[in-house]
């Protein structure tokens, strides 16, 4: 009984001592929603680094890592321009070890691990025939998930539902074996669908990030117009758990108009 009382006290104490806050600055479009963060950034980062290394290691073993040098260079050039503006949303992200790699796989997907480790798949580049503005829109969107720490937020929400697993670890001195950090990062970044609120925030931040980097914000609209056509038969993995293309396109059109002045004054690639 005392143990459970102690756990409840720990969880309640955490909730009452400032864990609800926005992980980023609002930017021009004002994304300021408060977030519950019970999982530490250090735990999430350790898991993300290990998970990313595992993904790259597997791709390398299978001969699928960075096989198209021209595409890799293109992705890294776009990433460099986007990363130059992450300080608008959070200053510490300017010091992250940002990285982007290409995996040869016929899937419409891309993602960004906590801390800035990005993966693109050849399927999304080739099947959608993306121009640089459209690549920047997708990359900015995925980077925004990392900037907003959506994976960490979702892990924290799950821990709260499980009556504070990390509080149990703290109270009992349990080791890292209680939760495999790499599995946690993979689950919350790649496997588990993001919520609609997370998708909306990443759309908005990603679009603004691309505009500041000199990429046409209407590129995001074109991406989802292409996605809508692809999804008429079987929705791709990248699209199936996201908001409907129609509502998303309408919101992106509105947001693109608001950040157009940023794009117009930005140096172009």
């Amino acid at each position: 009984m005392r143990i459970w009382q102690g756990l409840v006290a720990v969880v309640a104490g955490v909730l009452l001592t400032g864990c609800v806050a926005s992980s980023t600055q609002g930017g021009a479009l004002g994304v300021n929603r408060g977030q519950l963060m019970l999982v530490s950034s250090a735990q999430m980062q350790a898991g993300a680094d290990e998970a990313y290394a595992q993904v790259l290691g597997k791709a390398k073993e299978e001969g699928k890592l960075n096989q198209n040098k021209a595409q890799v260079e293109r992705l890294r050039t776009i990433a460099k321009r986007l990363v130059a503006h992450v300080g608008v949303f959070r200053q510490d992200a300017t010091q992250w070890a940002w990285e982007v790699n290409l995996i040869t796989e016929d899937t419409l997907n891309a993602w960004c691990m906590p801390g800035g480790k990005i993966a693109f798949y050849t399927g999304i580049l080739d099947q959608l025939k993306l121009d640089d503005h459209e690549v920047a829109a997708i990359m900015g969107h995925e980077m925004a998930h990392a900037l907003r720490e959506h994976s960490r937020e979702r892990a924290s929400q799950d821990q709260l539902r499980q009556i504070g697993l990390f509080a149990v670890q703290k109270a009992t001195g349990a080791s890292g074996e209680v939760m495999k950090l790499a599995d946690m990062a993979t689950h919350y970044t790649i496997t588990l669908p993001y919520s609609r609120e997370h998708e909306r925030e990443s759309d908005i931040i990603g679009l603004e990030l691309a505009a500041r980097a000199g990429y046409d914000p209407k590129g995001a609209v074109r991406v989802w117009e292409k996605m809508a056509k692809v999804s008429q038969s079987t929705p791709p993995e990248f699209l199936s758990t996201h908001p409907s293309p129609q509502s998303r396109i309408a919101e992106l059109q509105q947001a693109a108009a608001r950040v157009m002045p940023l794009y117009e004054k930005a140096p172009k690639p």
Side-chain angles (χ1 to χ4, degrees):
M1 186 66 169
R2 289 181 180 177
I3 292 176
W4 285 106
Q5 290 174 337
L7 294 180
V8 171
V10 169
V11 173
V14 169
L15 291 174
L16 294 173
T17 54
C19 279
V20 178
S22 178
S23 63
T24 58
Q25 301 299 315
L29 300 182
V31 178
N32 292 306
R33 178 182 58 87
Q35 298 167 278
L36 174 68
M37 298 296 192
L38 299 181
V39 177
S40 76
S41 59
Q43 285 174 309
M44 205 72 210
Q45 189 61 62
D49 290 345
E50 177 60 26
Y52 194 68
Q54 290 177 8
V55 170
L56 295 192
K58 183 175 183 294
K60 186 175 182 179
E61 287 179 3
E62 296 174 350
K64 297 180 177 180
L65 182 63
N66 296 329
Q67 292 300 295
N68 188 318
K69 301 304 180 185
Q71 285 187 332
V72 172
E73 181 61 27
R74 179 189 181 205
L75 290 174
R76 290 177 176 173
T77 297
I78 294 170
K80 184 177 180 180
R81 293 185 65 89
L82 294 176
V83 169
H85 298 276
V86 297
V88 170
F89 302 99
R90 54 184 304 158
Q91 190 59 40
D92 65 322
T94 63
Q95 302 303 314
W96 289 0
W98 292 93
E99 182 178 342
V100 58
N101 289 282
L102 178 67
I103 298 172
T104 303
E105 189 173 306
D106 191 24
T107 181
L108 298 178
N109 205 9
W111 44 263
C112 181
M113 280 283 178
K117 299 293 192 290
I118 304 167
F120 262 72
Y121 294 82
T122 54
I124 199 167
L125 297 175
D126 298 338
Q127 292 184 47
L128 297 186
K129 295 178 171 52
L130 300 173
D131 63 30
D132 286 358
H133 303 281
E134 294 162 356
V135 171
I138 293 174
M139 189 178 295
H141 173 94
E142 298 306 326
M143 290 170 63
H145 279 307
L147 292 170
R148 282 290 286 165
E149 297 188 272
H150 285 153
S151 295
R152 182 182 168 209
E153 182 182 12
R154 290 192 299 173
S156 297
Q157 291 167 345
D158 275 1
Q159 299 321 311
L160 183 61
R161 283 192 290 268
Q162 295 172 28
I163 318 178
L165 174 58
F166 283 89
V168 174
Q169 288 180 282
K170 183 176 180 180
T172 63
S175 71
E177 292 300 312
V178 175
M179 177 176 285
K180 300 295 185 181
L181 297 180
D183 290 343
M184 177 177 70
T186 298
H187 178 64
Y188 290 110
T189 303
I190 305 175
T191 307
L192 186 69
Y194 284 109
S195 71
R196 290 197 173 192
E197 182 65 23
H198 288 166
E199 289 301 320
R200 188 191 69 81
E201 290 180 350
S202 291
D203 276 348
I204 292 173
I205 291 175
L207 185 145
E208 180 178 338
L209 192 61
R212 290 180 181 276
Y215 294 103
D216 185 354
K218 294 191 295 293
V221 176
R222 295 196 299 273
V223 166
W224 290 102
E225 288 174 340
K226 291 181 177 182
M227 284 289 192
K229 292 180 181 178
V230 171
S231 67
Q232 288 176 357
S233 53
T234 302
E237 178 184 354
F238 185 78
L239 176 62
S240 60
T241 56
H242 290 51
S244 69
Q246 293 73 25
S247 62
R248 191 168 209 159
I249 288 169
E251 291 181 1
L252 285 169
Q253 287 173 332
Q254 295 177 2
R258 293 175 62 190
V259 300
M260 191 58 68
L262 295 175
Y263 167 65
E264 290 172 347
K265 71 178 183 181
K268 305 302 186 287

